[in-house]
Amino acid sequence: MGRLFRGIFPCVIAVGPSVGAIPRQASRLQPGPRGVIFLFTKGHIIVKILQGHIKLSLVLQGIILACFLTLHLSVAAAADTIHIKPFTVYAKQDLAFLQDAMRNMMASRLAANAELQTVDDPQTADYLLEGDIIAIGEALTINAKVTTRGSSEPPETYYSSAANENEIIAAVDRLAADISAQTFGKGDYADHQAASAPVTAPTVAAPVAPASPDAPAFQTAHPDRAFIRPTTPARQAMGQRGSAFIRPATITGALGFDKTQNLDMSMQDLAVADLDGDGVDDIVLAGKNEIFLYHLNGSRLVQFASISLPDNQKILALNAADLNGNGVAEIYVSAVSDRRPMALAAEWQGSAFHYLFRDQEWYVRPVRVPGRGLLLAGQHAAIDGPFMPGIYEVSVDEGRVVRGEALPLPDQVNLFSFAMADLDGDGATEIITINQSDRLRVLRAGGKQLWQSDDFYGGSLRYVGGYGISDRHSGRTKMTAGVHEDTSRDKTYIPSRIIIADINNDHLPDVVVNKNLSTASRILKNMKSYPSGEIHGLVWTGIGLSELWRTKKIDGYVASYDFRKEAGADQASLYVGLVTNSGWLDILAAKESTVLIYPLDLSDQEQ
């Protein structure tokens, strides 16, 4: 009889001791005759025969069969409805045609896969589908969410990606199959993936690409030694579509990055560390005056804690480091209220935060000093400017930040504009810094310049100065300011972080830094906008910093980044915090952020 039911009613999931996967919209469970359970849903009938021996007469079987047919036809007549909003497109190139195309493609696939009827009026729809398409270089990512009308449950979110415009249809197929399987219980996404997987072409040795016109005429032994390798079947399948990284002479590897879901925030900073002591890296993000802690589950961010600052404070810098050595990284936050610094440090203890200090009038961050390791450094604000000369090692005593000895740094750097490293292994410490003109420089500890870049590096939208909240409320201006006040009111921008790491396993420190791309921002002193950026890996040649690799151009404002690699390890990860809409008109209104994760494999290098 099971075969008979299944042959007549494709919607029957199981007939026997157990029922298979039941869609989430199952609405009522009713007992039938002699231990037969009927589960009615909108568009589904599921039958479960209870455990035990059941004998049904042919007449009773006929009655049950007739009931099934009547119920199935009546329920199926009321198909689920869905309203599909036009997808928002974020791209520098003209991809507006995808707005209507996405609606049509999703409508046809959801009708075929999940028997959904598309309606124009969202008020009459059972479900609402909306999303966006983001272009990052040639790659396209599709974010979608499905909301059930009248439900208190949060929307279900989905994600798909395409290496370029030619792959958008396959990405839509995967997205529709995923939604049909997970939200509506129709189809098998795993089977769909297997069926739609591209046929592997015979391997052909790729010709070496000619050198870029921008490539340096002379290269040291370091460049061209580290590269990106596909680390998952998905990336291996995309291996011939180009790499997310560019080396001076060649392009190699797979697509090269994962992307998290979009977040409703304007990201200010990012840090990666083990924040809960489980041995796995977590991600902490800073908004304007909020801190969010996330577990990384695949490519999804799952929030588990947060910290809110007062509304009159804005976050300048966020860092994470395990300075007390207990296996759990602390979070160090530097904020500013008008021109007054405010610092806090907190450690997550499983269910709540333990604050090492709060509301301290310092700027603070962990600094790695050659020969000493990580320590906490701090700097005060000046009466007539954003930073007082002198950067100090600081300690914590009963919730207070206490000044220690001064670090051997030139006065021209501030707490956020430098890193320290012995770049050539000669025992002397070099200072790597970015100045207010966005030039990358290498200095001796005494301030003597060893090298300055021709290109612009760093670049961020975080700053100290300008007319603050209290200035606007009091009417204070440049003409009415006091003698000892900062009358210029120019903004001092906080450079992007400079990361020191051995990125090519030669046992010498290298430099990872961003290059936010903008011409206008170099001209207008107090107005910045960065519509795109890159991350560069640089190596010291003895006479300057030379490019080892760089990411391809990333469309959007690169707000922050972090690099994670264990000493001597072949595997590393580059995390990039991206604000997706950051044009001139979007600087203040930007609210969509995401994290890109680039896996690096450093195991295959020239010696």
Side-chain angles (χ1 to χ4, degrees):
M1 185 171 177
R3 288 193 298 273
L4 178 62
F5 285 158
R6 285 192 292 271
I8 296 177
F9 307 110
C11 62
V12 175
I13 301 297
V15 177
S18 62
V19 177
I22 299 177
R24 70 171 185 169
Q25 57 271 59
S27 58
R28 57 191 184 275
L29 186 66
Q30 298 181 0
R34 300 282 306 201
V36 182
I37 294 286
F38 301 96
L39 177 61
F40 302 103
T41 75
K42 195 170 185 181
H44 303 273
I45 301 174
I46 301 173
V47 183
K48 177 177 179 182
I49 306 297
L50 293 183
Q51 188 90 19
H53 183 66
I54 297 174
K55 294 183 179 179
L56 299 176
S57 67
L58 292 176
V59 175
L60 183 55
Q61 292 182 35
I63 293 173
I64 294 172
L65 198 56
C67 291
F68 280 173
L69 181 58
T70 302
L71 288 167
H72 179 59
L73 293 176
S74 63
V75 172
D80 286 334
T81 58
I82 189 167
H83 174 73
I84 304 176
K85 295 179 65 176
F87 276 54
T88 304
V89 178
Y90 299 104
K92 297 187 69 174
Q93 61 268 43
D94 184 12
L95 297 177
F97 70 92
L98 284 178
Q99 286 188 314
D100 291 332
M102 277 295 299
R103 293 184 69 187
N104 296 334
M105 288 190 290
M106 290 300 297
S108 63
R109 284 155 177 78
L110 291 177
N113 295 348
E115 303 172 8
L116 293 175
Q117 178 182 346
T118 303
V119 295
D120 293 330
D121 185 0
Q123 300 301 320
T124 64
D126 298 313
Y127 300 92
L128 175 67
L129 172 63
E130 55 189 324
D132 55 49
I133 303 171
I134 302 172
I136 304 175
E138 295 182 358
L140 299 168
T141 62
I142 308 173
N143 299 287
K145 63 180 179 181
V146 179
T147 305
T148 304
R149 188 166 64 90
S151 173
S152 60
E153 295 294 322
E156 296 193 12
T157 57
Y158 297 92
Y159 158 77
S160 187
S161 64
N164 50 55
E165 291 181 39
N166 296 329
E167 304 294 333
I168 191 70
I169 294 178
V172 174
D173 286 342
R174 293 191 296 271
L175 182 67
D178 200 0
I179 293 172
S180 299
Q182 296 190 35
T183 295
F184 300 102
K186 296 292 188 72
D188 189 330
Y189 183 47
D191 290 345
H192 173 84
Q193 283 184 306
S196 62
V199 178
T200 303
T203 301
V204 179
V208 176
S212 166
D214 297 329
F218 298 94
Q219 299 176 2
T220 68
H222 288 297
D224 218 21
R225 281 169 44 183
F227 65 96
I228 307 306
R229 171 181 299 172
T231 56
T232 67
R235 292 198 187 93
Q236 290 168 355
M238 291 187 264
Q240 297 182 353
R241 301 180 192 171
S243 171
F245 282 76
I246 295 177
R247 299 185 290 155
T250 62
I251 300 174
T252 186
L255 184 61
F257 66 83
D258 290 319
K259 174 188 172 298
T260 69
Q261 77 272 28
N262 281 11
L263 301 170
D264 185 19
M265 66 179 297
S266 181
M267 189 188 305
Q268 302 298 309
D269 210 346
L270 165 152
V272 180
D274 181 5
L275 302 173
D276 56 6
D278 64 354
V280 179
D281 278 343
D282 306 298
I283 296 180
V284 54
L285 304 179
K288 176 182 177 295
N289 54 9
E290 290 183 293
I291 306 293
F292 302 96
L293 281 66
Y294 298 92
H295 295 306
L296 185 60
N297 184 5
S299 60
R300 290 198 62 79
L301 295 173
V302 181
Q303 183 181 330
F304 66 93
S306 64
I307 299 174
S308 294
L309 276 64
D311 290 341
N312 65 341
Q313 294 184 16
K314 67 176 182 179
I315 294 172
L316 294 179
L318 167 71
N319 291 274
D322 181 17
L323 297 185
N324 59 16
N326 66 350
V328 179
E330 309 91 55
I331 299 168
Y332 296 91
V333 180
S334 289
V336 64
S337 177
D338 289 350
R339 289 167 295 160
R340 188 163 62 99
M342 201 63 65
L344 72 82
E347 181 180 282
W348 180 249
Q349 294 190 341
S351 59
F353 282 102
H354 166 66
Y355 288 91
L356 285 72
F357 55 83
R358 303 177 74 169
D359 299 328
Q360 295 293 291
E361 292 194 21
W362 284 85
Y363 297 119
V364 298
R365 77 174 178 97
V367 172
R368 187 173 297 278
V369 177
R372 297 188 58 189
L374 271 174
L375 54 82
L376 188 61
Q379 186 174 19
H380 279 300
I383 297 176
D384 57 350
F387 298 103
M388 181 181 292
I391 299 172
Y392 299 89
E393 180 180 358
V394 298
S395 59
V396 180
D397 182 17
E398 296 182 350
R400 296 183 304 110
V401 174
V402 180
R403 190 177 87 175
E405 64 180 29
L407 296 180
L409 294 165
D411 288 342
Q412 57 194 284
V413 305
N414 65 60
L415 180 66
F416 305 111
S417 69
F418 78 95
M420 305 173 73
D422 180 4
L423 293 175
D424 50 12
D426 65 352
T429 296
E430 285 79 38
I431 310 299
I432 304 93
T433 182
I434 298 176
N435 63 18
Q436 285 295 297
S437 300
D438 290 346
R439 302 290 187 178
L440 184 62
R441 307 171 69 204
V442 179
L443 312 175
R444 290 293 186 195
K448 178 183 178 181
Q449 179 174 299
L450 300 178
W451 174 81
Q452 177 173 294
S453 67
D454 294 326
D455 293 336
F456 298 106
Y457 289 90
S460 84
L461 302 182
R462 292 169 285 139
Y463 64 87
V464 182
Y467 283 97
I469 296 173
S470 63
D471 295 324
R472 292 194 297 271
H473 289 175
S474 65
R476 184 170 55 202
T477 66
K478 182 175 181 179
M479 298 298 296
T480 62
V483 175
H484 298 292
E485 294 187 44
D486 177 11
T487 56
S488 72
R489 309 308 288 162
D490 284 335
K491 297 174 181 177
T492 299
Y493 281 86
I494 305 301
S496 304
R497 67 163 49 98
I498 302 168
I499 297 174
I500 303 299
D502 180 8
I503 61 176
N504 55 10
N505 280 349
D506 66 350
H507 308 294
L508 290 174
D510 306 305
V511 177
V512 178
V513 68
N514 80 322
K515 180 188 280 189
N516 273 331
L517 306 175
S518 175
T519 301
S521 293
R522 317 299 177 190
I523 301 173
L524 303 176
K525 185 175 183 180
N526 286 324
M527 179 62 73
K528 305 292 184 182
S529 177
Y530 299 102
S532 60
E534 302 166 346
I535 309 296
H536 286 230
L538 307 175
V539 62
W540 180 250
T541 65
I543 58 174
L545 287 170
S546 178
E547 179 185 311
L548 185 63
W549 49 253
R550 71 181 186 271
T551 65
K552 287 186 176 179
K553 187 183 73 169
I554 304 169
D555 288 332
Y557 165 52
V558 176
S560 188
Y561 46 93
D562 210 344
F563 184 86
R564 298 288 287 175
K565 173 182 176 291
E566 299 296 331
D570 291 331
Q571 307 299 319
S573 295
L574 173 66
Y575 298 82
V576 179
L578 187 71
V579 179
T580 57
N581 50 344
S582 57
W584 282 102
L585 299 179
D586 298 325
I587 294 174
L588 299 178
K591 288 290 290 181
E592 291 284 320
S593 300
T594 188
V595 178
L596 308 181
I597 306 167
Y598 294 78
L600 291 85
D601 188 335
L602 308 176
S603 60
D604 194 356
Q605 304 176 44
E606 295 178 6
Q607 301 297 326

